[in-house]
């Protein structure tokens, strides 16, 4: 059975990824600080490993015990997002960049020998664009993550490990969908702006991750797949004219 580690798989998109891959028959190990409450239904036999990604020493120990108990991984998916109280600059650096690098370097020689192998990083449009609501650290670390993806795609290629990213536009997830569904003017505006005519959901991104974590993507490496319904192609002036006509 294919073993996949989902980093930040306790909530949001990570949880959806763990669920989608679990249904596809992967054995799932989830890393996060808090196991989700049983009432939310844990994912099809997933094993939860509690650890703070910002604590490098305990992270390495946790990875050791994870591989001992669950076996060598075929895939690692990075879905974590810094959600802390302290300095968001240090927090973003630690949780988004350092933890990703540490996990890859700790496990790069512990992947399964045979079959398809890969790493997927969840990035953001803020790696390339500048937007409200996120601090400079989020922008800078997502940009760094994209380059880390390219670096490891080249470095790990000879080991047969493919490395890719997905870049979702704001998506409806369990935790946030009520906000967008209740905020009708904003929701309607998004639907008008996006060529596919609807907001994204966490399932849309999870399905793209599942594709990249399969032999269907066997010769795809170093790519950043946008999951935005075509929005990034629309010229801002076109959007402005659409909004002005509302
Ligand atoms: N939401 C969006 O619309 C959106 C749009 C574009 C891109 N993204 C990207 O998509 C990914 C998922 O976003 P999301 O909104 O679904 O995130 P989320 O709901 O906030 O979930 C974040 C995950 O990261 C884990 N995590 C955070 N800090 C951690 C730490 N110090 N140690 C261990 N685990 C930690 C959390 O687990 P615990 O709380 O259990 O520790 C949780 O499982 C992120 O990379 C985000 O940047 C999101």
């Amino acid at each position: 059975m294919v073993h996949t580690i989902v980093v930040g798989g306790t909530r949001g998109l990570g949880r959806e990824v763990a669920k989608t891959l679990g249904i596809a028959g992967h054995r799932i190990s989830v890393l996060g600080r808090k196991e989700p409450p049983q009432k939310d239904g844990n994912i099809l036999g997933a094993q939860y490993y509690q650890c703070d990604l910002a604590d490098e020493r305990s992270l390495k120990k946790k990875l050791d015990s994870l591989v001992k108990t669950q076996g060598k991984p075929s895939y690692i998916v990075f879905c974590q997002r810094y959600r802390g109280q302290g300095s968001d600059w240090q927090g973003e650096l630690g949780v988004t960049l350092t933890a990703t690098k540490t996990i890859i370097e700790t496990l790069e020689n512990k992947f399964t020998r045979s079959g398809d192998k890969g790493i997927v990083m969840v990035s953001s449009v803020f790696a390339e664009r500048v937007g409200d609501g996120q601090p400079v650290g989020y922008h800078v670390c997502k940009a760094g993550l994209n380059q880390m993806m390219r670096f490891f795609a080249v470095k790990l290629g000879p080991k047969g490990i493919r490395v890719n990213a997905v870049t979702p536009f704001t998506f409806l997830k369990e935790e946030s969908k009520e906000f967008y569904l209740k905020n009708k003017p904003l929701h309607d505006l998004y639907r008008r702006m996006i060529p596919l005519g609807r907001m994204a959901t966490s399932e849309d991104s999870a399905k793209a991750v599942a594709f990249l974590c399969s032999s269907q993507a066997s010769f795809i490496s170093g790519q950043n797949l946008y999951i935005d319904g075509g929005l990034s192609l629309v010229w801002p002036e076109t959007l402005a004219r659409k909004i002005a006509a509302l």
Side-chain angles (χ1 to χ4, degrees):
M1 196 187 225
V2 167
H3 173 209
T4 298
I5 301 172
V6 183
V7 182
T10 58
R11 287 189 280 120
L13 175 57
R15 188 174 146 70
E16 194 61 44
V17 166
K19 193 167 123 194
T20 304
L21 293 176
I23 291 168
H26 295 222
R27 182 165 69 252
I28 304 294
S29 301
V30 168
L31 279 172
R33 287 166 302 182
K34 299 177 291 285
E35 189 169 330
Q38 286 295 328
K39 70 172 174 53
D40 294 342
N42 282 351
I43 312 299
L44 284 172
Q47 291 297 314
Y48 289 86
Y49 293 84
Q50 274 176 280
C51 93
D52 186 346
L53 296 169
D55 179 349
E56 210 174 335
R57 264 185 61 193
S58 76
L59 172 60
K60 284 183 178 171
K61 276 194 191 161
K62 200 56 79 169
L63 292 171
D64 265 3
S65 79
L66 185 159
V67 172
K68 271 188 197 127
T69 52
Q70 286 277 86
K72 297 183 175 202
S74 295
Y75 302 106
I76 308 175
V77 185
F78 291 95
C79 301
Q80 75 273 26
R81 176 172 192 171
Y82 170 68
R83 301 277 191 196
Q85 306 292 326
S87 147
D88 51 51
W89 177 256
Q90 290 303 331
E92 294 284 359
L93 282 173
V95 171
T96 304
L97 289 182
T98 309
T100 301
K101 174 179 166 291
T102 300
I103 293 171
I104 293 175
E105 290 178 346
T106 306
L107 297 181
E108 64 176 288
N109 294 319
K110 295 186 178 162
F111 273 67
T112 180
R113 280 230 195 115
S114 56
D116 188 61
K117 298 184 267 286
I119 293 171
V120 180
M121 302 177 186
V122 179
S123 187
S124 163
V125 289
F126 292 150
E128 287 160 11
R129 311 288 173 98
V130 178
D132 289 341
Q134 296 298 339
V136 60
Y138 186 81
H139 288 72
V140 169
C141 288
K142 289 298 190 184
L145 195 67
N146 284 358
Q147 188 63 351
M148 195 187 299
M149 177 276 286
R150 296 183 194 102
F151 177 88
F152 282 119
V154 173
K155 181 167 186 255
L156 302 183
K159 295 180 198 278
I161 301 172
R162 302 179 294 99
V163 187
N164 292 288
V166 296
T167 290
F169 176 67
T170 304
F171 50 79
L172 299 175
K173 57 177 182 176
E174 244 358 270
E175 295 85 345
S176 68
K177 85 177 163 200
E178 210 178 316
F179 168 79
Y180 289 103
L181 296 179
K182 275 190 178 160
N183 198 336
K184 203 169 171 316
L186 180 64
H187 191 219
D188 286 349
L189 183 56
Y190 277 150
R191 288 167 55 186
R192 289 188 52 135
M193 284 163 57
I194 298 168
L196 279 180
R198 66 169 175 87
M199 273 192 83
T201 64
S202 51
E203 287 93 332
D204 293 316
S205 292
K207 283 191 272 187
V209 170
F211 163 68
L212 291 170
C213 291
S214 79
S215 58
Q216 301 291 315
S218 55
F219 208 56
I220 300 177
S221 196
Q223 302 304 307
N224 181 8
L225 187 56
Y226 265 63
I227 321 291
D228 70 350
L231 179 61
S232 54
L233 298 175
V234 184
W235 183 240
E237 192 180 337
T238 305
L239 290 176
R241 283 170 185 267
K242 226 175 203 183
I243 293 164
L246 276 179

